[in-house]
Amino acid sequence: MSADQWRALEALRDHGDVTDDNAQVDDDDSYGAWDVLDGTQPLDISHGGGELQELTRGIAGDFWNAQSVRRKDYRSRRDRTQRRIEAFDYQMPALVTAYLTWSLERDEKRGMGFFERQKDVDADDVNAGQVFIEVVDIHHAEKVHLSILSSDMYLASALVRHGVIPCSPINPSVGMTIDCLEFYRIARQRCPNFSIQAFTKTLCDLQGKRFRSYLSRQLSIALDLYLLICTQVRSLVQEAIGRSAIDWNLKHACPACLYTLDAEPQLKFSLLYAMDGNDSLKRVLKRVPDEEHAEDLVSRNNPQSSELPTSQAIVDYRYLTREYVDSFADALNPQVDLFDDDEDDNPCAGRWKNMKDDKTKRMWGVFDESGIFMAVCRHGFTLIIADMVQSGERAKYPLAVVSRLLDTFGHNLGGGYDIGCRFKTTLSRSSLGPRARTLNHTSLVGAFHGHAHRRLCQLDHLTTYVTGLGLEDLEGCERTFSKSNALAPATRYASVFHRRQAILGYFEHNDEFEIYHNLTTFLYNNYKQALDILYDGQTVLPRLMQELGVTDESELEAWLENERAYLLSRTHEPEQETLQMEYWQKLVNLSASKKELDGTAWSLTTPGSSFGQADVSMTVRLETARRHALENYEKDLKIVHDLEMKLGVDKRWQPEDIEWQNAGRLVANRKYQLALDTLEGLIVARIFELSKMNRAGTGYKMRKHIGKALQVRSAAIRTALDRYNLTAHALSSPRPALKWEDVVEYAFLADFELLRDAREDISQRPWATPSGRHAMDLYFKMCRAREEIERLNVEIRRVATYLQDERHYLEECEILLHTLHPGLAHQVQILRNTRGRFLDYHCQRLRDIAGLPGFSGTLLPGQALHTGPGESASSPSVQVPHKLCPAAVDESLALGTLSGDEDGLEDLEEEEDDEQLAEEESRTLQDILEVSGHD
């Protein structure tokens, strides 16, 4: 390109038609460059060379960058990232102090934008310096001069004091305003799939700029630093008001569950929680495939992984570390796991299988974290989160959660789990079992998932029949996951640190602004539901009992036991019949062994006859055969004798006395009866489920769930039906075969004619009739409604007391800190306003509850049981954390002493390109394995 063409391009740039930040150069430098090129000015040249290239780089701008080779950089991404993290960590105390100063001053200028607030800042400091930096706000980005006070320890802390988060720790050239970062933080919590790249493009669109890949990297660096500062500030506030204990936040996660009062009624379950796993928040382990490791693409130790190790870590009371969870991997026998099916007393044995398909296992290798396993209280507050690592729901995850909850809350916990019936056995077998039994931990099954379990399991674990549970459905995890699933797209290809950062940020925001806001609404709705159930039941139940001839409600509970006994009887063969069949078979075996013994005759030889080696061998064979026959006879005789003792037989039967035709008929009848028992139990359980599905008040989702469970159970019914038809045809008087179309249409036990051929006809039993089923369900619902009201009366008073105590405690702490440290006092005010914004709403909801007809509780505040340091009911005592106490600053920490290599725009662009490349390769690998898994 000629000099004239360069001048034309530069003139076009000056007129603003080309707007590229990286292509802008200083006017003096540009004209000096043209003077050199046209020969009017000499160029100083050193032996090192490169002066001309640097000069033309300033003229060509992006054209040079596109055409030239990037500078040689021997630093790895890990080195650059680690140095940046260490530099920010080194300055963190100064950054936190600067943030507290900015937050306090900003409160005085509320409503003003960043550029408006910068007018006349630090005008009184004669020693103030200046830094020229580009500041990015939401609607505007501009290079501005920001003052540096003599009291500023670092350049980064000086920027934070102005409300700007630097993108580099040493010599930043770009910074993001805290207002901009806070806007994105809140927007991402409200819309979890709002990624950093999408927000960066949004800013570019608002400001009329062209998007460059390094801009999202700068925003990510600034956001990480801002969130870390906020975490440090929250920690200092907790320490200042006496709430810095490790488990303090977990013990006070939910005021309705955990803010216990003095002299309140004792509940059967001190805490009800639900736990479950979810695989939507899985994260792809990024790998760079090559020929050498092509066969090891899903190996955990693949050396071609593109994961970038980092020292960044998220520490939170909610999150269990991998080491803590893995410590429970050996809590069970290596051959025993959550889905073993060798429990004889578990009606769901064999139903719940973990993924054992080799292709499915191979698919999990694509992901490092395959999801999360979490526990929430009955009101929805997050208690525990754990990463599931390269597996599904293994036993170690619920065991780790239960262990942590037992350590924190102690006695009388009730935990709902979709396979709680199986987990109860797993927990009792584990090393955690003795402590769980001592602390009276109860494993339960959620109401929604319970309908996928067998009817026998439902009689023991379904929430309708569990005393003390109230109307709680133990399905809080499902409601939580339905919202958190939106977070999956933004975390699928994130780093370990950023994934956990996003998950924790989401659940923190959800607890503070969603669950806490809806707490009193939850109490109101449950109270109203319980009162409605009691009102309807008191009208309908007496009429049903009169129709059924029932005078005492205790008979309805006895019916439930009768149903359990009936279904149990269909799972095992009657012992007497089994012994009789076994006795007949052993008599046949005894007769056969007797004939075999009698048939082993000796061969006789006379003294004159020859006796050779062949006769010796024959004699040995005969002796061996007779000895074996005698052993078999004695063994069969002993077995028959033992069975006669069990059956109380006075005279031994003789097999020859039994007609073989009758014996065959006996065997055929026996097989038919067993097949009928199996089919009977399955169809009766199905009809009971249909009665629930078709009842008024059952929601659409519950109907669909029950229908899906019945479809799965229909496979077992079809197998039992085929076996029944086969045995019915083998009878001496064959029974008519049943058709599948007829069986699936059974809606009432009266339609099931085969019950008349069963050992007992239950179709006329009162607990098996439709009205009897309705009466039983209504009675147990009323029992749970009364328990719910009892629990709600306790929780409502707890909430009312907490609202008063917490407001008073934080107000006093703010007053005490105002003279000690105004910045901290302002943060306490922010903390108080976070939940205080819902105070009026909670008070109105509590008044609505008190106005319900039939309300039996009280809104009068009680006395909190715990009054130790930091408790809302205690006397406030504050202290300024040691990190914020004034101290002499060492000269080595003065401004400008930090040194290190900076990340240039090329470095940031390269990192962003590498991330995109690794994500594309991971997506490709995932698609390949998904396709191969379906083949």
Side-chain angles (χ1 to χ4, degrees):
M1 185 179 294
S2 65
D4 294 336
Q5 292 174 329
W6 279 116
R7 290 190 180 93
L9 179 62
E10 194 66 23
L12 183 63
R13 185 196 307 274
D14 293 341
H15 282 84
D17 294 331
V18 179
T19 57
D20 192 329
D21 295 341
N22 290 329
Q24 294 177 0
V25 295
D26 187 82
D27 294 340
D28 296 336
D29 294 339
S30 299
Y31 289 118
W34 291 121
D35 292 340
V36 172
L37 291 177
D38 62 16
T40 58
Q41 292 288 338
L43 175 66
D44 295 331
I45 299 177
S46 67
H47 293 287
E51 289 80 4
L52 184 60
Q53 288 82 353
E54 292 295 333
L55 184 66
T56 53
R57 180 191 300 273
I59 300 175
D62 284 345
F63 178 80
W64 174 271
N65 294 334
Q67 300 297 324
S68 63
V69 180
R70 288 182 175 177
R71 63 182 175 84
K72 188 68 174 178
D73 191 352
Y74 296 97
R75 298 173 300 164
S76 65
R77 286 181 56 201
R78 178 178 182 179
D79 293 336
R80 293 195 302 268
T81 303
Q82 187 62 30
R83 289 181 183 179
R84 181 174 62 238
I85 294 172
E86 291 176 353
F88 277 134
D89 289 343
Y90 187 79
Q91 303 175 71
M92 187 53 60
L95 297 178
V96 170
T97 302
Y99 176 82
L100 293 175
T101 302
W102 169 84
S103 181
L104 181 61
E105 294 177 352
R106 179 184 182 275
D107 188 61
E108 302 173 355
K109 301 179 180 180
R110 186 173 299 276
M112 299 175 61
F114 169 80
F115 295 100
E116 295 179 357
R117 292 196 301 266
Q118 294 311 306
K119 297 177 181 178
D120 300 328
V121 174
D122 305 325
D124 297 335
D125 193 339
V126 295
N127 297 321
Q130 284 188 337
V131 58
F132 192 56
I133 185 172
E134 183 174 6
V135 177
V136 179
D137 201 5
I138 298 176
H139 296 284
H140 186 57
E142 181 182 344
K143 285 189 174 183
V144 296
H145 291 277
L146 299 180
S147 61
I148 304 176
L149 300 181
S150 56
S151 58
D152 290 326
M153 295 178 61
Y154 309 103
L155 180 57
S157 63
L159 296 179
V160 173
R161 184 176 50 80
H162 287 282
V164 177
I165 301 296
C167 299
S168 179
I170 310 302
N171 297 309
S173 59
V174 178
M176 306 286 177
T177 64
I178 294 180
D179 294 336
C180 178
L181 296 174
E182 179 66 8
F183 176 83
Y184 171 67
R185 185 188 71 83
I186 296 177
R188 185 172 65 172
Q189 308 310 345
R190 292 297 185 182
C191 182
N193 58 358
F194 190 27
S195 65
I196 287 181
Q197 189 178 57
F199 181 66
T200 306
K201 291 182 177 181
T202 301
L203 294 179
C204 291
D205 294 343
L206 288 174
Q207 300 175 15
K209 302 290 185 178
R210 182 169 65 91
F211 172 76
R212 298 292 299 272
S213 60
Y214 68 82
L215 297 176
S216 59
R217 177 65 61 181
Q218 289 177 333
L219 179 60
S220 177
I221 294 172
L223 181 65
D224 288 346
L225 178 59
Y226 171 63
L227 294 179
L228 182 57
I229 292 174
C230 292
T231 301
Q232 295 287 333
V233 170
R234 284 196 299 270
S235 177
L236 293 173
V237 171
Q238 293 291 93
E239 183 179 352
I241 62 178
R243 297 177 175 179
S244 58
I246 297 177
D247 57 353
W248 195 95
N249 289 290
L250 181 57
K251 287 183 177 180
H252 300 78
C254 175
C257 291
L258 304 172
Y259 199 70
T260 54
L261 305 179
D262 190 19
E264 64 182 11
Q266 185 69 29
L267 301 175
K268 179 180 179 181
F269 298 106
S270 62
L271 174 66
L272 288 171
Y273 69 93
M275 59 180 176
D276 199 5
N278 178 265
D279 62 358
S280 64
L281 295 180
K282 50 183 174 286
R283 185 186 66 87
V284 171
L285 182 61
K286 301 173 187 176
R287 302 176 185 275
V288 180
D290 62 356
E291 296 180 358
E292 180 181 358
H293 300 89
E295 299 180 356
D296 193 33
L297 289 177
V298 296
S299 172
R300 182 177 178 82
N301 297 319
N302 183 3
Q304 295 301 308
S305 172
S306 64
E307 293 288 341
L308 179 64
T310 176
S311 61
Q312 292 175 296
I314 296 292
V315 179
D316 189 85
Y317 73 92
R318 296 177 181 87
Y319 237 111
L320 300 181
T321 63
R322 289 191 181 184
E323 293 75 18
Y324 182 83
V325 174
D326 290 340
S327 66
F328 292 90
D330 299 329
L332 293 170
N333 186 298
Q335 303 301 322
V336 180
D337 205 349
L338 187 60
F339 300 92
D340 286 344
D341 53 3
D342 57 348
E343 304 96 2
D344 296 333
D345 59 344
N346 195 319
C348 282
R351 283 187 58 79
W352 312 117
K353 300 290 185 182
N354 201 1
M355 293 171 292
K356 297 180 178 179
D357 184 76
D358 291 338
K359 292 181 180 179
T360 307
K361 285 185 176 180
R362 191 165 182 257
M363 184 60 202
W364 280 116
V366 178
F367 306 103
D368 190 12
E369 296 89 359
S370 54
I372 61 172
F373 193 94
M374 69 180 304
V376 299
C377 76
R378 90 184 197 107
H379 304 94
F381 287 96
T382 307
L383 299 177
I384 299 295
I385 305 174
D387 284 325
M388 296 190 297
V389 182
Q390 291 194 347
S391 69
E393 294 180 27
R394 308 302 296 173
K396 62 182 180 180
Y397 302 114
L399 286 176
V401 168
V402 171
S403 176
R404 180 66 184 277
L405 294 179
L406 290 177
D407 291 340
T408 305
F409 302 115
H411 293 79
N412 302 327
L413 304 184
Y417 191 17
D418 53 2
I419 49 175
C421 55
R422 306 301 309 277
F423 178 67
K424 178 173 64 176
T425 303
T426 302
L427 180 62
S428 63
R429 291 180 175 183
S430 70
S431 59
L432 201 59
R435 188 154 65 98
R437 288 189 291 271
T438 301
L439 296 176
N440 195 26
H441 180 276
T442 305
S443 294
L444 304 168
V445 178
F448 188 76
H449 289 90
H451 291 282
H453 292 240
R454 290 174 176 167
R455 180 61 185 172
L456 266 175
C457 179
Q458 294 177 15
L459 295 179
D460 292 329
H461 301 98
L462 200 63
T463 55
T464 307
Y465 306 125
V466 178
T467 304
L469 194 57
L471 297 179
E472 174 57 33
D473 59 6
L474 299 174
E475 296 292 355
C477 285
E478 300 304 319
R479 291 185 285 271
T480 301
F481 292 146
S482 68
K483 295 187 297 182
S484 67
N485 287 342
L487 189 62
T491 59
R492 183 64 49 83
Y493 299 95
S495 64
V496 177
F497 169 77
H498 287 109
R499 173 184 174 273
R500 182 171 290 194
Q501 179 192 78
I503 291 174
L504 274 178
Y506 170 80
F507 284 113
E508 286 177 359
H509 186 273
N510 185 62
D511 286 350
E512 291 291 343
F513 296 95
E514 292 289 337
I515 304 302
Y516 183 77
H517 174 233
N518 296 324
L519 178 58
T520 48
T521 302
F522 175 96
L523 301 177
Y524 173 82
N525 291 337
N526 278 31
Y527 213 109
K528 189 174 183 298
Q529 180 188 8
L531 290 175
D532 291 342
I533 291 175
L534 291 178
Y535 178 80
D536 295 339
Q538 291 168 358
T539 304
V540 178
L541 185 61
R543 177 174 55 80
L544 291 175
M545 293 176 62
Q546 185 178 4
E547 293 176 358
L548 296 168
V550 177
T551 58
D552 191 354
E553 292 181 349
S554 60
E555 294 184 37
L556 300 177
E557 296 184 358
W559 288 0
L560 193 68
E561 294 301 323
N562 293 338
E563 181 185 349
R564 180 183 288 106
Y566 164 75
L567 293 177
L568 279 173
S569 67
R570 296 304 177 266
T571 59
H572 303 285
E573 302 176 16
E575 184 178 1
Q576 190 71 12
E577 293 184 12
T578 303
L579 289 175
Q580 289 177 0
M581 288 297 299
E582 186 179 0
Y583 179 62
W584 178 84
Q585 184 63 52
K586 296 308 178 184
L587 283 177
V588 174
N589 295 344
L590 179 63
S591 177
S593 60
K594 182 68 168 59
K595 289 181 180 180
E596 182 182 1
L597 178 63
D598 295 340
T600 55
W602 298 100
S603 61
L604 301 177
T605 57
T606 61
S609 61
S610 61
F611 189 79
Q613 185 64 33
D615 297 322
V616 174
S617 300
M618 181 180 295
T619 301
V620 172
R621 286 197 300 271
L622 289 174
E623 288 179 350
T624 302
R626 182 173 179 80
R627 185 165 56 252
H628 287 170
L630 181 61
E631 290 176 356
N632 291 335
Y633 174 76
E634 291 177 348
K635 181 182 67 175
D636 292 339
L637 182 63
K638 184 178 183 306
I639 293 174
V640 169
H641 178 71
D642 293 339
L643 289 174
E644 289 173 345
M645 295 293 292
K646 293 181 180 180
L647 290 169
V649 177
D650 296 333
K651 180 182 178 181
R652 178 171 301 166
W653 298 354
Q654 298 298 326
E656 56 269 16
D657 296 338
I658 303 177
E659 297 181 5
W660 290 105
Q661 183 179 2
N662 293 336
R665 180 177 56 81
L666 182 62
V667 172
N669 287 337
R670 177 60 180 161
K671 290 182 179 179
Y672 168 78
Q673 191 63 51
L674 291 176
L676 177 58
D677 287 346
T678 303
L679 184 61
E680 176 189 354
L682 291 173
I683 293 181
V684 169
R686 181 181 186 275
I687 292 174
F688 288 163
E689 288 295 311
L690 284 174
S691 65
K692 167 66 177 176
M693 184 176 178
N694 298 325
R695 187 173 304 128
T698 303
Y700 172 77
K701 290 187 176 180
M702 180 63 76
R703 293 177 190 271
K704 297 290 290 183
H705 184 69
I706 295 176
K708 185 177 180 180
L710 292 178
Q711 289 178 359
V712 175
R713 200 170 301 164
S714 297
I717 296 178
R718 186 183 290 274
T719 302
L721 180 63
D722 294 339
R723 187 181 299 115
Y724 166 80
N725 287 333
L726 183 64
T727 57
H729 180 73
L731 293 176
S732 56
S733 299
R735 299 285 184 181
L738 287 178
K739 296 182 179 180
W740 170 251
E741 294 78 9
D742 297 333
V743 171
V744 296
E745 292 297 328
Y746 290 156
F748 302 100
L749 290 182
D751 300 333
F752 192 20
E753 296 182 357
L754 281 180
L755 289 176
R756 298 180 178 86
D757 295 334
R759 293 190 181 89
E760 55 176 326
D761 184 4
I762 66 164
S763 60
Q764 302 305 316
R765 293 285 186 90
W767 53 268
T769 61
S771 58
R773 304 300 303 174
H774 189 192
M776 285 176 59
D777 290 341
L778 185 56
Y779 166 72
F780 284 108
K781 268 193 173 182
M782 292 177 65
C783 292
R784 303 292 85 80
R786 295 189 186 98
E787 295 168 356
E788 181 71 13
I789 289 178
E790 180 184 3
R791 176 175 287 274
L792 288 173
N793 285 338
V794 172
E795 293 179 346
I796 288 169
R797 197 180 188 202
R798 287 177 179 177
V799 172
T801 306
Y802 170 81
L803 293 175
Q804 173 184 278
D805 292 349
E806 181 72 358
R807 179 175 61 87
H808 177 265
Y809 183 83
L810 292 181
E811 286 178 351
E812 292 296 323
C813 289
E814 181 184 350
I815 294 173
L816 294 175
L817 278 173
H818 187 72
T819 57
L820 299 177
H821 197 292
L824 270 181
H826 178 64
Q827 296 302 316
V828 173
Q829 180 187 5
I830 295 176
L831 175 63
R832 179 170 56 85
N833 291 337
T834 299
R835 289 192 168 185
R837 71 188 67 182
F838 306 118
L839 181 60
D840 293 339
Y841 178 80
H842 289 328
C843 292
Q844 180 59 47
R845 271 306 186 185
L846 292 177
R847 286 192 292 268
D848 294 340
I849 295 174
L852 290 173
F855 175 70
S856 56
T858 178
L859 298 183
L860 294 176
Q863 178 61 46
L865 186 63
H866 302 288
T867 58
E871 298 289 346
S872 300
S874 64
S875 298
S877 176
V878 299
Q879 61 177 355
V880 178
H882 177 72
K883 295 179 180 179
L884 297 179
C885 292
V889 180
D890 190 90
E891 293 183 359
S892 62
L893 301 181
L895 182 64
T897 57
L898 286 176
S899 61
D901 296 328
E902 289 294 293
D903 290 330
L905 299 183
E906 294 179 354
D907 299 326
L908 298 179
E909 275 191 315
E910 181 182 359
E911 290 183 15
E912 189 72 17
D913 293 341
D914 291 343
E915 290 288 337
Q916 293 178 359
L917 176 62
E919 181 174 333
E920 291 175 1
E921 291 169 342
S922 299
R923 288 182 186 272
T924 303
L925 176 59
Q926 183 181 356
D927 294 340
I928 292 173
L929 291 178
E930 285 180 349
V931 171
S932 63
H934 290 297
D935 293 340

